[in-house]
Amino acid sequence: VTGEVDRPASYRISSAATAMTALYAAGGPTERGTLRTVEVRRGGRVVGTVDVYDYLVRGDNSGDVRLENGDIVFVPPHGP
């Protein structure tokens, strides 16, 4: 988990883990991190984006991506 999170690091998580699981392990996005376009990268390509705001406000986790070994969850800084 990299980018604007409280504890960026490599985490060992369950094989059923999703991007939200990894974000939870990393302490979530910081105040500077976006909640709208959290990226899941696999093999150098973006394979999905997660909208954490929709999850928090509406309970919609339909965009949550199941992670595979070596995936990177990247939280970019939020825009203007």
Side-chain angles (χ1 to χ4, degrees):
V1 182
T2 64
E4 296 294 332
V5 292
D6 280 340
R7 296 180 306 272
S10 179
Y11 292 95
R12 194 174 290 268
I13 52 180
S14 130
S15 62
T18 64
M20 292 295 288
T21 308
L23 283 173
Y24 180 77
T30 64
E31 288 182 15
R32 295 183 312 189
T34 185
L35 294 175
R36 290 295 198 172
T37 54
V38 175
E39 299 177 353
V40 177
R41 298 177 179 177
R42 183 174 299 144
R45 295 187 335 229
V46 176
V47 294
T49 58
V50 179
D51 190 336
V52 179
Y53 184 79
D54 269 352
Y55 176 74
L56 294 174
V57 173
R58 296 182 188 93
D60 179 13
N61 68 344
S62 62
D64 201 1
V65 178
R66 187 157 179 194
L67 298 178
E68 295 180 7
N69 193 32
D71 283 356
I72 296 171
V73 177
F74 175 67
V75 179
H78 62 76

